[in-house]
Amino acid sequence: MNAPRQTGNGEVIVSARGIVKSYGGVHALKGVNFDIHRGKVTTLFGENGAGKSTLMKILSGVTPPTSGEIRLDGEPVSFSSASEARDLGISIIHQELSLAPNLSVRDNIFMGRELPGRTGVDFAEEARQARALMADLEEDIDPLTPVEDLRLGQQQIVEIARALSVDSRILIMDEPTSALSAAEVEVLFRVIRDLTARGVSIVYISHHLEEALQITDYAVVLRDGNITATAEAKDIDLEWIVRNMVGENFDLGSPPAGYDFGEVALSIEDVSVADASGSGLVVDHMSLDVRAGEIVCIYGLMGAGRTELLECVAGRGAMASGRVLLEGEDVSGLSIAERIANGLVLVPEDRQRDGLVQTMTVGRNLSLASIEAFAAGLFLSRSKERSLNDESIRKVTIKTAGGDAMIGSLSGGNQQKVVIGKMLTTEPKVMLLDEPSRGIDVGAKAEVFRLLSERAAKGLAVVFTTSEVAECLSIAHRVIVMRRGRISREFGTDATKEQIMAASGEAVDA
């Protein structure tokens, strides 16, 4: 066997050379060279659609390259499946969760590689190992809990535990922290450091740039299917990453100005939401008014009640007490569809499960919420639908081959744009967005916030939640900080990062 190649940065365990991947006339990767170093973290940066996930799928055996060569320990290899790559020590945590919601945590972790016992599967040993993995990740989750009963962040922990259970030599993490709290991210980083200390190689992809800098040994930037920059961690900073990703350094915008707010568009009056057990309140008698043209950001840690509040207002969750008014009219008793028809819409946190139909095309997903706009009696006007979809694709800047492309062919960020575009086509009066930038790169975030700013200037009332302080300080006219189901502080445009974090409980007030 050829000896693994040595570089100035240490031993290269995997070397990909000239990797090309084409989907028809679309070239996702254009001759990419990529190295993975033994016992180090290589972080891959890039905008949505740059080709990051495609490259990782090739390296993990999910899909073959159109051309190019992969060498493992100096020897050429090719994978016909992800299980074949896993047998050689390469595992991947996908950006989009690939769990079976109706199965338990234990069964998801060991799915497809069940542990044999004397009379079949050794469920007791699987449960023991699953419990140990949860303990390593500092999560108190019963292995027999159905995955569908877990919040999104806990489901992400299960996905990570499944990859760790394989005992891989090379672990690819594609957006592993997109649904995690700050505390859970710290635990994951401790696990990563333990793994690299044992010689495990990590490939890390994240749109949380500052967060990724904490764990990176080597940085690689991918742009439009090409590698544009590589460097060691000591030679880079946030500006270097953004400049090489998007060609310029820019912020996420500022609150739209030059107009007066209209009347109160959304009024949340003394709303309470019970927790899963029914014994407590996850939203505790909360009241909030939002005016037409105003952008309000709700910030808080995991468990603060942000998601539960928005889902209750949109009609997805049950309200224990209180009422919701839309332009002065009580909509508390209306269904989700009726609230949408009246102008109150929600972009949910989990786009895969709640925002999209995976078996449909981009166009059909875009037009789902506004189907009445192109209905003619018992039939649908395909020309009107196509015109509506083309306009949405253009306005929301969705990178796609067209409305007939399958939704699964889009990157995570572009799928999120489809969800946002779908709701904007209904011409809403109030738009609620739960973590709209989850899994979206810095360029796409700026585009989404630009869209929201433009719509607010035309009278749309916007409420969005975030777990990133930098986003609070971008386009919001007001920042509402939630803590344990209540509003702990309210800030205007002069808020600081430290004030917001202190109000949420992330820091202690001086």
Side-chain angles (χ1 to χ4, degrees):
M1 176 181 289
N2 297 331
R5 187 167 61 90
Q6 300 284 332
T7 72
N9 298 334
E11 183 181 339
V12 174
I13 187 172
V14 172
S15 176
R17 289 293 175 269
I19 300 297
V20 172
K21 183 63 179 180
S22 300
Y23 296 95
V26 178
H27 300 287
L29 298 173
K30 306 169 185 176
V32 168
N33 297 328
F34 185 77
D35 291 332
I36 301 174
H37 304 265
R38 187 184 302 278
K40 301 295 182 182
V41 178
T42 301
T43 301
L44 184 60
F45 297 101
E47 293 186 272
N48 286 112
K52 304 184 305 297
S53 294
T54 300
L55 178 58
M56 295 304 102
K57 287 177 181 178
I58 289 172
L59 293 176
S60 60
V62 175
T63 187
T66 303
S67 63
E69 180 185 63
I70 301 172
R71 287 182 173 268
L72 176 63
D73 293 325
E75 288 291 325
V77 292
S78 61
F79 311 121
S80 59
S81 66
S83 60
E84 189 174 316
R86 190 173 61 216
D87 291 342
L88 290 173
I90 303 175
S91 296
I92 184 170
I93 300 169
H94 292 285
Q95 178 181 2
E96 304 297 348
L97 299 180
S98 56
L99 303 173
N102 60 316
L103 297 182
S104 68
V105 170
R106 176 200 66 194
D107 292 344
N108 268 279
I109 290 175
F110 292 97
M111 188 190 307
R113 48 182 194 83
E114 290 77 8
L115 301 181
R118 291 183 178 179
T119 59
V121 177
D122 190 343
F123 292 114
E125 177 60 19
E126 287 186 356
R128 187 195 68 78
Q129 292 189 26
R131 194 171 286 107
L133 286 165
M134 291 298 108
D136 285 344
L137 293 167
E138 299 183 17
E139 281 287 338
D140 185 21
I141 300 175
D142 188 329
L144 299 185
T145 303
V147 163
E148 61 189 356
D149 291 345
L150 302 177
R151 61 177 173 78
L152 188 59
Q154 290 176 315
Q155 292 182 24
Q156 185 76 68
I157 291 291
V158 174
E159 187 86 54
I160 292 168
R162 182 165 67 181
L164 294 177
S165 70
V166 180
D167 196 23
S168 301
R169 302 166 57 202
I170 300 158
L171 183 56
I172 298 169
M173 297 183 168
D174 191 355
E175 289 286 349
T177 66
S178 60
L180 301 187
S181 67
E184 288 167 337
V185 170
E186 285 302 313
V187 173
L188 176 61
F189 281 6
R190 176 186 58 75
V191 170
I192 289 175
R193 293 184 184 102
D194 289 344
L195 290 171
T196 54
R198 300 202 304 264
V200 176
S201 304
I202 305 290
V203 180
Y204 190 86
I205 298 176
S206 179
H207 289 134
H208 300 277
L209 306 184
E210 293 180 85
E211 171 191 285
L213 282 172
Q214 300 176 40
I215 202 71
T216 299
D217 292 306
Y218 307 111
V220 178
V221 180
L222 190 62
R223 185 177 181 187
D224 294 328
N226 294 294
I227 299 293
T228 59
T230 59
E232 293 186 55
K234 62 182 179 61
D235 298 323
I236 69 171
D237 56 17
L238 189 62
E239 183 178 347
W240 180 93
I241 298 169
V242 175
R243 184 175 65 251
N244 284 290
M245 276 179 58
V246 298
E248 59 179 319
N249 194 4
F250 60 92
D251 58 31
L252 294 176
S254 56
Y259 62 92
D260 295 326
F261 298 148
E263 298 297 318
V264 173
L266 175 68
S267 186
I268 300 169
E269 295 185 353
D270 200 34
V271 167
S272 295
V273 179
D275 61 19
S277 67
S279 60
L281 296 176
V282 68
V283 177
D284 190 0
H285 298 280
M286 182 167 165
S287 297
L288 176 67
D289 286 342
V290 184
R291 307 177 77 86
E294 186 180 19
I295 300 178
V296 174
C297 171
I298 300 179
Y299 178 83
L301 302 178
M302 288 287 184
R306 300 169 303 157
T307 294
E308 292 82 359
L309 174 67
L310 261 58
E311 291 190 343
C312 172
V313 171
R316 292 193 66 201
M319 189 185 306
S321 66
R323 61 179 189 161
V324 176
L325 305 179
L326 181 65
E327 294 186 332
E329 296 293 325
D330 190 349
V331 296
S332 306
L334 300 185
S335 66
I336 296 174
E338 289 170 333
R339 295 187 202 203
I340 292 174
N342 279 274
L344 175 59
V345 301
L346 169 68
V347 174
E349 179 184 18
D350 190 342
R351 59 176 171 264
Q352 290 288 97
R353 184 183 67 185
D354 303 325
L356 299 167
V357 180
Q358 295 298 321
T359 55
M360 285 186 174
T361 63
V362 172
R364 289 295 170 84
N365 271 282
L366 279 169
S367 59
L368 267 179
S370 53
I371 196 167
E372 290 185 358
F374 47 89
L378 297 175
F379 301 97
L380 300 179
S381 171
R382 295 304 181 196
S383 61
K384 287 184 179 179
E385 181 184 14
R386 192 174 300 110
S387 176
L388 178 73
N389 291 337
D390 290 345
E391 183 180 6
S392 294
I393 289 170
R394 178 178 54 80
K395 284 185 176 180
V396 189
T397 61
I398 300 167
K399 293 182 181 178
T400 175
D404 292 332
M406 295 303 297
I407 193 68
S409 68
L410 271 58
S411 65
N414 281 294
Q415 289 186 22
Q416 183 74 318
K417 289 183 185 180
V418 170
V419 182
I420 294 171
K422 176 179 70 173
M423 303 319 301
L424 285 175
T425 58
T426 67
E427 296 296 331
K429 300 169 184 174
V430 176
M431 191 169 198
L432 313 173
L433 303 99
D434 194 5
E435 293 276 7
S437 66
R438 188 177 75 85
I440 290 182
D441 63 74
V442 63
K445 284 181 187 180
E447 291 174 3
V448 168
F449 286 169
R450 174 185 56 78
L451 280 170
L452 297 178
S453 294
E454 290 175 354
R455 290 300 182 108
K458 295 177 181 178
L460 177 67
V462 176
V463 181
F464 73 94
T465 71
T466 183
S467 52
E468 291 193 44
V469 181
E471 294 181 7
C472 297
L473 305 175
S474 57
I475 62 168
H477 296 107
R478 272 194 296 157
V479 177
I480 304 295
V481 181
M482 284 188 69
R483 186 176 184 182
R484 297 176 183 172
R486 292 175 174 265
I487 295 176
S488 63
R489 288 287 298 277
E490 180 175 325
F491 300 98
T493 55
D494 57 348
T496 66
K497 179 178 179 179
E498 290 74 22
Q499 288 175 323
I500 293 171
M501 292 178 67
S504 72
E506 280 187 81
V508 179
D509 283 310

